[in-house]
Amino acid sequence: MPTTPPSKSLHGNDYCYCLLILFATSSQLSSLILQKRIGRSWSNMRPTVIDGGFGTQLASYLGSCVDEDPLWSARMLSTHADLVVKVHLDFLKAGAQLIRTNSYQASVGGFVEHLGLSEVESLELIKKSVQLAQIAVKKYKEDNDAAPADIPILGSVGPYGACLHDGSEYFGYEGMQLTLEQLIDWHRPRIQALDEAGLKVLAVETIPSLLEARAVSHLLKVEFPHLRFWLSFSCKDGERISEGTLIKDAAAECWQIACAQLEAIGVNCVHPAYVSSLLKSIKEANSSIPLVAYPNSGEQYIAGKGWQENGEKVSQFVQEWLPLGTRFVGGCCRTYPRDIEEILSQVGKISAADP
C-alpha cells in the first residue's frame, strides 16, 4: 500500500497507472499503455447486464434442496452438471451479456467434507465450473446467430461465510478471530483453480467484512497480478457493509490496494432500496471508481427458515443506478431470467435516451 496518499489531482487508477509509467523502462512503455486500454475497455462501454440468481434458478428445477444444501448450488457441479449448463443458458437466453461460474460456494474444505473428495479432486471440480460455463456459451452461440462474439465468463469467488452455510456472509465473522493470513490461505486455492482453468476476470462477491476484502485484494495483487476482478459487498443498510464498516471507507482502502486490477466496486445480495445510497457512498470515496450492482429481490434469507418478506422488482431501480457510474448491473438471490430481461430492457431504454 502506498505510504503517501494520491495527489488530489489524480484519482485511484490514474494514480496507480502514473506510478507504473514512472517506473517503466522505455521498452515497457508502449505495453503499459496498451494494457491500460484493454484492461479498462469495459469501463468505457455502455453498462453490461450480468446474470441473476444462479441458485435461485437452479432451485426452480430441483426445489428447496438447493437452498438447504451446505454446498448450495456447488454440489450440482458433481451431481447435475447438465442443469448447471441449462441455468447458464437460461440467463444467456434472457439477455445476460456476462455470466459467472457456479463456484460461489465451492471450496476445497466443503468438497472434502460433503462430497468425500480429495484436495486434488476438489480443485478439479472448481475448474469444472469454468468448463460448464464455457459449454453453455458455446451452445448459446451455436444456437443463436445474433449472439455477441464475446460473452465474458467471470469466476465467482464467494466469501468464507458462504462455506459455513449459516448466513455469516450477511452478518460478518464477529467472534471467529480470523486473521488476514487465514483468509488469504482459504481463498488462495479457489482462485488458483479458476486461474488455471483460464479465466482472466473474477467476481469477488458478497464480501461482508473489510478484513476479508483486504485479504482478497492483497492476495490478487501479490500472487495473481495478471487477474482482474470486481469486488462487491454485502451490506446491512444504506451506508455500511455487513460487519459495520462504512462502505466508502472499505471501497477507498481496497481501491488503494488493487486499483490497477479492479474493474469495479459495488454491492450484491442487498435490498435494492439500499443500492443507490451505497453506490453514492463509494463515489464519495473516489469518484473514478466504476460501480457494480446486483442486489437480491429484497427478501432475506434466514438459516433454517428460508427466504422471508416480499420481493421487489430490481428493474424498477436501474434508472437510479446507471447515472451514478454503474458499469455492471444484474440480480442476485431470488432474481430469475425474467428479471434479467426486464433489467436489460431498462438499460436499453436509458442508454437510448442518453447515447
Side-chain angles (χ1 to χ4, degrees):
M1 185 182 298
T3 56
T4 58
S7 163
K8 290 183 179 180
S9 62
L10 293 175
H11 289 293
N13 192 54
D14 294 327
Y15 173 70
C16 291
Y17 181 60
C18 287
L19 284 179
L20 287 172
I21 294 297
L22 285 173
F23 289 102
T25 66
S26 58
S27 64
Q28 294 170 318
L29 185 57
S30 61
S31 176
L32 284 169
I33 293 172
L34 181 61
Q35 288 174 18
K36 183 177 192 289
R37 187 180 299 123
I38 294 174
R40 293 293 155 182
S41 60
W42 286 354
S43 298
N44 297 324
M45 295 171 63
R46 289 184 176 182
T48 297
V49 176
I50 68 178
D51 50 8
F54 194 94
T56 296
Q57 181 64 3
L58 192 59
S60 70
Y61 296 114
L62 294 173
S64 61
C65 63
V66 177
D67 285 340
E68 295 170 359
D69 195 304
L71 293 177
W72 198 46
S73 63
R75 182 184 293 274
M76 310 313 159
L77 295 170
S78 175
T79 62
H80 291 79
D82 58 329
L83 282 183
V84 172
V85 173
K86 183 172 177 55
V87 170
H88 283 312
L89 280 168
D90 289 343
F91 284 114
L92 288 168
K93 292 174 182 177
Q97 299 162 326
L98 173 159
I99 61 172
R100 292 161 292 149
T101 57
N102 180 34
S103 51
Y104 173 85
Q105 203 144 321
S107 67
V108 172
F111 288 157
V112 169
E113 179 179 358
H114 299 291
L115 290 178
L117 301 181
S118 67
E119 180 176 345
V120 171
E121 290 170 331
S122 298
L123 292 171
E124 287 302 313
L125 197 55
I126 293 173
K127 294 177 185 179
K128 185 178 179 180
S129 72
V130 179
Q131 297 162 2
L132 296 177
Q134 291 170 335
I135 290 171
V137 168
K138 181 180 179 181
K139 181 172 177 53
Y140 178 67
K141 288 182 177 181
E142 290 173 347
D143 295 343
N144 295 271
D145 293 336
D150 181 31
I151 300 175
I153 298 172
L154 270 65
S156 175
V157 178
Y160 172 76
C163 80
L164 304 176
H165 196 60
D166 63 358
S168 291
E169 64 266 49
Y170 304 113
F171 305 107
Y173 314 133
E174 184 177 354
M176 290 188 190
Q177 304 300 315
L178 293 171
T179 66
L180 183 79
E181 291 73 20
Q182 287 174 323
L183 287 168
I184 287 175
D185 289 344
W186 187 81
H187 277 284
R188 182 183 292 109
R190 320 160 70 214
I191 292 175
Q192 181 72 47
L194 293 170
D195 180 28
E196 291 177 358
L199 295 186
K200 304 301 181 185
V201 189
L202 306 178
V204 180
E205 47 193 0
T206 329
I207 301 300
S209 72
L210 175 55
L211 180 65
E212 187 164 19
R214 185 184 295 145
V216 179
S217 297
H218 274 295
L219 173 63
L220 285 163
K221 179 181 179 180
V222 174
E223 299 185 32
F224 302 92
H226 55 288
L227 296 180
R228 305 197 308 280
F229 67 106
W230 78 45
L231 175 63
S232 60
F233 293 95
S234 67
C235 300
K236 64 191 302 182
D237 54 33
E239 294 184 316
R240 300 176 184 275
I241 65 176
S242 293
E243 49 88 333
T245 300
L246 289 170
I247 195 169
K248 65 180 181 181
D249 293 338
E253 179 173 333
C254 293
W255 188 252
Q256 189 176 30
I257 293 170
C259 59
Q261 292 167 264
L262 272 163
E263 286 291 340
I265 298 178
V267 298
N268 77 288
C269 218
V270 301
H271 196 293
Y274 293 155
V275 172
S276 292
S277 175
L278 290 162
L279 296 182
K280 289 175 183 177
S281 292
I282 294 171
K283 284 295 188 179
E284 287 179 14
N286 189 316
S287 62
S288 68
I289 298 176
L291 303 174
V292 55
Y294 49 116
N296 58 36
S297 65
E299 297 165 85
Q300 184 180 16
Y301 183 78
I302 304 297
K305 296 182 180 180
W307 290 95
Q308 309 293 310
E309 303 178 9
N310 296 320
E312 302 260 14
K313 278 189 173 292
V314 174
S315 58
Q316 68 181 324
F317 296 90
V318 170
Q319 62 183 348
E320 299 177 14
W321 306 336
L322 298 193
L324 299 175
T326 302
R327 296 295 176 238
F328 306 95
V329 61
C332 200
C333 292
R334 308 295 282 181
T335 62
Y336 295 85
R338 62 178 178 269
D339 296 294
I340 300 307
E341 289 180 355
E342 293 171 358
I343 291 170
L344 180 65
S345 176
Q346 285 296 313
V347 169
K349 290 177 183 177
I350 295 167
S351 297
D354 185 23

